[in-house]
Amino acid sequence: MHLQIAYASLLVIVSCVVGKNANLEESVKLNGGKYRMGTDDPSAKDGEAPARNAKVKAFEIDKYPVSANSFRKFVRANKYKTEAEKFGWSFVLEPFVSEKVKAGIKESVQGAPWWLPVKGAYWRQPYGPGSSIKDKTDYPAVHISWNDATAYCKWAGKRLPTEAEWEFAARGGLEEKKYPWGDDFEQHRMNIWQGKFPEENTKQDGYHGTAPVNAFRPQNKYGLYNMIGNTWEWTSDEFKGQAREKQFVLRGGSYLDTVDGSKNHEARVTTRMGNTPDSGSDNLGFRCAKSIPRSEL
């Protein structure tokens, strides 16, 4: 692992159930089709620009990011160890690290000192020793590398979505809009950072760190949750950047990102970045997809 951190289709409608008893493994089937991918906004970065024509075939995608409970089923069935467990550490945002743990940390990420390498941090202990998912099984599984996510999706009979599929799903049938629901920011639609970063999060959206995968109402008419904000999501596409090492595309931004991009990334439907396939942190998650024949729609 490297010191590099993530900062007109048919919809099968399924019932919306809120709370821990919801079926967090539901998915939606989409016809696919042509759309405008990316943006021409002057603030575009990390390959968001230019806006261009894209086309995807029919596919199915998870309604929610993969929850800690769902990931636990996979781990138990396969006796699987994540890369964070194998490395023995992962990155955690500084405000969530206990003073006791913090006292033993002698390094941080250059240019991003709020990220701390915490021994024993992984999906079951998202903030390191002393933390737990006991009361957060409906939160997204985090500290998940691209390799971990690929293994889970394969076990589930699925795969990671392509970047074009991910954005098609996130847009919800709208053309060239900033958010999955339209162009205007709406409070309580996504989990992002509000306040002075990293010292204070005003929690206007109700959360400081991650939120349950079904914390807010669906972000678009496809019934998809948390496509923007909360946790970054891996895709199957390789990221074409300046890094020497192979990277894969992450989409959607996370709870660290902001409305205007003044800190970290601007939370919008085109937000993207890359990271190495073995990287993990407390804001990296995923959802799965799979190709389907049109006869299944």
Side-chain angles (χ1 to χ4, degrees):
M1 184 188 290
H2 305 275
L3 291 177
Q4 181 175 12
I5 275 296
Y7 299 96
S9 69
L10 172 69
L11 169 67
V12 174
I13 300 177
V14 290
S15 61
C16 173
V17 186
V18 178
K20 288 192 176 183
N21 293 323
N23 178 3
L24 301 180
E25 296 177 0
E26 292 177 326
S27 59
V28 297
K29 295 179 180 179
L30 302 176
N31 259 339
K34 298 177 181 179
Y35 75 104
R36 291 287 284 173
M37 181 178 181
T39 181
D40 289 323
D41 191 288
S43 65
K45 63 180 182 179
D46 295 329
E48 287 179 278
R52 64 270 188 198
N53 294 328
K55 182 179 180 180
V56 296
K57 295 181 179 180
F59 68 103
E60 185 172 338
I61 190 165
D62 291 349
K63 187 175 179 180
Y64 310 94
V66 173
S67 69
N69 184 57
S70 295
F71 195 77
R72 181 169 59 184
K73 294 177 186 177
F74 160 68
V75 168
R76 288 175 174 174
N78 298 277
K79 295 181 173 57
Y80 185 85
K81 282 191 177 295
T82 60
E83 292 195 289
E85 292 172 86
K86 294 174 183 177
F87 289 128
W89 64 276
S90 189
F91 286 104
V92 180
L93 191 68
E94 187 269 340
F96 300 114
V97 181
S98 70
E99 292 302 320
K100 180 179 179 181
V101 171
K102 205 180 298 182
I105 298 175
K106 306 302 181 185
E107 59 182 329
S108 61
V109 180
Q110 186 175 4
W114 45 85
W115 280 117
L116 300 180
V118 176
K119 292 181 179 179
Y122 69 110
W123 70 273
R124 198 184 290 273
Q125 295 182 163
Y127 302 138
S131 64
S132 170
I133 62 165
K134 182 179 179 181
D135 298 318
K136 294 186 174 184
T137 55
D138 57 342
Y139 280 58
V142 292
H143 297 289
I144 305 299
S145 72
W146 184 90
N147 294 320
D148 298 329
T150 298
Y152 174 97
C153 290
K154 182 177 181 180
W155 170 77
K158 302 178 182 181
R159 56 172 172 76
L160 286 173
T162 66
E163 183 177 14
E165 288 174 337
W166 190 98
E167 187 169 322
F168 180 91
R171 287 186 176 277
L174 300 180
E175 286 288 338
E176 300 186 84
K177 299 297 183 182
K178 186 173 183 177
Y179 304 110
W181 56 84
D183 271 331
D184 298 325
F185 172 74
E186 295 180 11
Q187 192 64 262
H188 302 297
R189 293 304 298 272
M190 57 181 175
N191 178 21
I192 57 174
W193 197 275
Q194 295 160 309
K196 185 179 180 181
F197 182 87
E199 293 87 357
E200 179 192 22
N201 187 340
T202 61
K203 299 184 284 187
Q204 291 173 265
D205 52 32
Y207 298 93
H208 189 188
T210 57
V213 298
N214 60 352
F216 308 98
R217 67 185 188 274
Q219 289 184 333
N220 62 27
K221 71 176 185 178
Y222 292 167
L224 298 173
Y225 289 72
N226 284 292
M227 296 297 289
I228 308 299
N230 212 20
T231 58
W232 286 96
E233 297 183 8
W234 290 106
T235 71
S236 62
D237 285 41
E238 189 172 344
F239 183 80
K240 305 297 184 182
Q242 301 300 315
R244 296 179 181 178
E245 297 166 291
K246 189 172 185 177
Q247 297 187 338
F248 287 90
V249 175
L250 287 150
R251 295 300 305 264
S254 77
Y255 74 87
L256 275 73
D257 297 309
T258 53
V259 172
D260 59 4
S262 58
K263 290 295 182 181
N264 304 317
H265 287 75
E266 182 175 355
R268 58 187 177 189
V269 78
T270 55
T271 301
R272 71 194 296 269
M273 62 161 289
N275 215 335
T276 54
D278 59 355
S279 294
S281 62
D282 71 18
N283 68 334
L284 287 191
F286 71 107
R287 73 180 73 209
C288 303
K290 69 176 180 179
S291 303
I292 55 172
R294 296 186 68 86
S295 60
E296 286 192 16
L297 294 167

